[in-house]
Amino acid sequence: MNLLPLQKGVLYGPIASRRLGKSLGINLMPTDYKLCSFNCVYCHYGWTKVHTLDAEAYADDMPRFDDVTGAVGNALASELEFDYLTFSGNGEPTLHPQFASLVAQIAEMRDRYRPGLKIALLSNSSGLNISEVKESIRRIDVPVFKLDAGIEGIFKDINRPCTGINLKDITANLHSLRGFIIQTVLINGMPGNVEEEDLDAYFDLVEDVRPEGVHIYSIDRPVPNEAIARVLPGKLEQIAELGKNRTGIDFKAFFLRQEAY
Ligand code: SF4
């Protein structure tokens, strides 16, 4: 099995998503390399090629505003069936310099053509430092933010953020939002995040930011760092139960090999 190939256009799918039903993906990042503010040890797209928080210099490699709205408009006007439009793709979508305007325009198009459709975002949370990005989250029906650790050192070892990103700021930003989902990838090995003290700190942090729910996963595909290993479904279930009891928040465990990706 190989790493996942990069998405080759603005739209991809619809894919049968584990939590979003039929989801039509929107890729705002370049199509021939991964651009992200993180370089997670488990990223299915492989190592990050352009590791930055400031993507302005790479804007020419990203789809233009009209290309994105044109592609989404065509999909909305077509017979294609999908339940969600999901900002995700080859890196961190909120790094697109026009992310906030694109969300506003696409939400307007959705209201006009398919009012029942939901808009989702899969984000690593680092873009929330930008005020327009943070403001745009209220237009997204299902914002999903990555949070893999409650300890700064583990966050750095697993997510390998670029300079200027720390867990404290991410937590503060999440704390000021409401109605979002946390997505967590749990892994064994070096680095890992499932030792008792790791989980204790993580549950405290989840309790502090008060998401609507938490989705926990492990890995099921090849990953760039071979020193990490999968957390088995039974253990994920136990951790979800523990999280629910500790925080009062709805934790759900997803088993990657038993469902369509
Ligand atoms: S944040 Fe997402 S795209 Fe970026 S490196 Fe991590 S898993 Fe990959």
Side-chain angles (χ1 to χ4, degrees), residues 9 29 87 92 110-111 115 131 158 163 165 176 187 221 246:
M29 292 295 103
F87 290 96
E92 172 52 31
R110 180 273 315 269
D111 292 347
S131 57
I158 291 180
T163 312
I165 300 176
S176 64
I187 48 175
R221 292 170 183 274
R246 277 278 303 270

Side-chain angles (χ1 to χ4, degrees), residues 34 36 38-40 42-43 48 91 124 146:
K34 186 178 76 164
C36 194
F38 284 10
N39 193 6
C40 302
Y42 56 73
C43 184
T48 298
N124 68 17
K146 175 185 292 302

Side-chain angles (χ1 to χ4, degrees), residues 69-122:
T69 55
V72 172
N74 287 341
L76 289 172
S78 75
E79 306 267 295
L80 194 63
E81 287 183 17
F82 49 97
D83 311 306
Y84 281 84
L85 267 172
T86 304
F87 290 96
S88 184
N90 300 339
E92 172 52 31
T94 62
L95 295 182
H96 190 290
Q98 288 167 295
F99 176 78
S101 320
L102 282 165
V103 169
Q105 179 66 26
I106 288 171
E108 204 173 283
M109 290 159 67
R110 180 273 315 269
D111 292 347
R112 207 172 334 136
Y113 297 111
R114 295 202 197 188
L117 190 73
K118 292 203 178 332
I119 298 176
L121 164 69
L122 305 184

Side-chain angles (χ1 to χ4, degrees), residues 67 98 120 138:
D67 296 334
Q98 288 167 295
R138 68 186 170 80

